[in-house]
Amino acid sequence: MAENARHHEPRYGNRPTMKDVAARAGVGLKTVSRVVNGEAGVTPDTERRVQEAIEALGFRRNDSARVLRKGRTASIGLVLEDLADPFYGPLSRAVEEAAREHGALLINGSSAEDADREQELVLAFCARRVDGLIVIPAGSDHRYLEPEIKAGVATVFVDRPAGRIDADVVLSDSFGGARAGVAHLIAHGHRRIGFIGDQPRIHTATERLRGYHAAMADAGLTVDDSWVSLGSTSPERVRAAAESMLAGPEPVTALFAGNNRVTVTAVRVLAGRERPVALVGFDDIELADLLGITVISQDAAALGRTAAELLFRRLDGADETPARVELPTALIERGSGEIPPPTDA
C-alpha cells in the first residue's frame, strides 16, 4: 500500500520552500532569508549549513515577493512576426544580449503576422508584469497599449511603426534601400523591372514599393501595372507573380524582390530559365554569397540592439518625446544584380 502511494505521488509542483530549508538547517526563517538575499548578520558556520540545505533540497528563490516590493520584474517581452524567419534570429539574439547586460530576462513569442495574436501576446506579457516591450507590429492600431504605457511599461516598436499611437520606433531605411536597389538595376541597362512585395498593409512593403517607383521616376521610366505585385509571400503566390511578369512578348528583364522570402522563391523561378534575368533582393538570405545574389542588406542585429538600448534608456528614466531611429541599408553586389538585359530586349 505504501509502495502504491509513493507511486502516485505528484511528480511536479512540490518545490522546496524557505521553511523546508530552515527546518533542514536547524535555523529560523529570517536566517535563511538573509542567506538567500546576501544580507549580513549570519555567521560563516550558519551560512554554510543553510547553503548545504539549499543544495540538498534543490531550493530556488521565488522572486514574486521581491517583484511586489520593487515593482520591477527584470524581464522584457519581445513580440516577433515569425520565429522561423531567419531575419529575426540576429535581432532576437541582440535583444537577448542587451537584456542579459542589464540583468533582465527576455520572453519572446510570435504573432504569425496576425494582429489579434499580437495583441493577445502583448497583453499576456503585460499581465506577467514585464518592465518593457519590444514589438514588431502585425496590427495597425495599437491604442490597446495606451493603458499599459501609461502604467509604466516602456515600449519600443521595431521594423514598422506603431499604429495610431506615438511610440519609439527603430526602422531600416526601406525606401532608400529599395530606391538604391532598383537604381542599380537601371544603371545596368534594365528598363522593364518587376517588383514583388509583401502585403500592402505592411509598412515595409509600401515603403519599398515607394522606393521602386522613385527610382523608376528618377530615370524617367514609366511603370506598367503588370510589373508590380503585392500580396502573400507564399511560394505559390510569388512564383505565379514572377512567371506572369516574365511571360509575354515584352517580359521584365529584372526583378526586385521585396523581402527575403520573396527572394528565395524568385531564385528558384529564375534558376530554371534559359534567358538570364537580373535579380536584387531586399534582405540578405542564407547562401546568397555562394549563389551570387545581389541584395540590399539591413542589419537585423543593429535593429535589435538599438531597440533594446532605447528600451533600457526609457526604463532608466529617460523622459523624451518618442524617438524615430532609421538605420541605413547597404547594397551588396554579388552578380545577380549586375546581369545586363538581353540584347534584343
Side-chain angles (χ1 to χ4, degrees), residues 17-339:
T17 65
M18 281 205 294
K19 188 180 291 186
D20 298 325
V21 173
R24 187 178 182 97
V27 299
L29 268 175
K30 183 61 178 174
T31 300
V32 176
S33 176
R34 283 175 175 160
V35 173
V36 167
N37 292 299
E39 298 173 1
V42 182
T43 66
D45 181 63
T46 300
E47 183 177 359
R48 176 185 56 76
R49 295 202 332 263
V50 172
Q51 292 290 5
E52 287 175 352
I54 287 172
E55 186 174 344
L57 293 171
F59 171 79
R60 295 291 180 270
R61 181 176 65 185
N62 184 343
D63 283 339
S64 296
R66 298 175 75 242
V67 167
L68 291 174
R69 288 198 303 272
K70 295 185 176 184
R72 292 280 292 271
T73 61
S75 64
I76 62 173
L78 172 62
V79 179
L80 301 166
E81 176 200 343
D82 182 357
L83 290 171
D85 189 328
F87 172 75
Y88 295 116
L91 189 155
S92 180
R93 281 196 301 273
V95 173
E96 185 173 21
E97 287 169 8
R100 286 186 63 190
E101 289 169 6
H102 287 82
L105 175 71
L106 177 67
I107 309 167
N108 61 31
S110 170
S111 69
E113 201 59 68
D114 182 279
D116 292 336
R117 186 167 172 179
E118 173 212 299
Q119 181 172 341
E120 181 183 320
L121 264 176
V122 166
L123 294 181
F125 287 161
C126 291
R128 285 159 177 76
R129 297 175 62 107
V130 295
D131 300 317
L133 292 164
I134 294 176
V135 181
I136 297 171
S140 57
D141 187 347
H142 293 92
R143 287 176 296 177
Y144 72 85
L145 256 172
E146 286 180 333
E148 308 298 336
I149 294 172
K150 286 178 182 175
V153 180
T155 306
V156 177
F157 289 81
V158 183
D159 195 41
R160 310 162 188 173
R164 306 188 73 176
I165 64 170
D166 290 327
D168 293 322
V169 60
V170 180
L171 307 166
S172 290
D173 182 10
S174 286
F175 169 77
R179 189 178 194 173
V182 176
H184 184 72
L185 291 168
I186 294 169
H188 282 80
H190 295 278
R191 297 296 178 264
R192 299 196 300 272
I193 301 170
F195 178 96
I196 304 177
D198 209 332
Q199 306 275 6
R201 61 181 172 78
I202 297 173
H203 171 80
T204 50
T206 57
E207 281 297 283
R208 291 166 196 174
L209 177 60
R210 195 165 68 87
Y212 163 84
H213 279 295
M216 297 293 276
D218 290 343
L221 299 175
T222 302
V223 175
D224 190 289
D225 290 344
S226 65
W227 299 351
V228 174
S229 178
L230 296 181
S232 161
T233 57
S234 69
E236 296 77 16
R237 204 284 301 183
V238 173
R239 175 176 288 276
E243 289 178 345
S244 174
M245 293 178 190
L246 294 165
E250 291 192 325
V252 298
T253 62
L255 289 174
F256 185 87
N259 66 23
N260 56 356
R261 285 164 290 187
V262 175
T263 302
V264 169
T265 301
V267 168
R268 292 194 171 111
V269 171
L270 299 182
R273 301 188 69 84
E274 293 181 9
R275 299 184 68 170
V277 176
L279 171 68
V280 173
F282 202 111
D283 290 341
D284 217 342
I285 61 171
E286 191 174 4
L287 302 181
D289 53 338
L290 296 178
L291 295 171
I293 308 302
T294 297
V295 298
I296 300 297
S297 176
Q298 54 178 333
D299 192 337
L303 282 170
R305 185 167 55 252
T306 304
E309 288 170 355
L310 181 53
L311 182 75
F312 283 106
R313 195 160 73 240
R314 293 296 191 197
L315 290 173
D316 288 339
D319 186 16
E320 309 157 355
T321 57
R324 181 186 176 97
V325 181
E326 192 166 84
L327 303 182
T329 56
L331 172 68
I332 302 177
E333 299 181 28
R334 296 194 179 114
S336 71
E338 295 69 57
I339 298 171

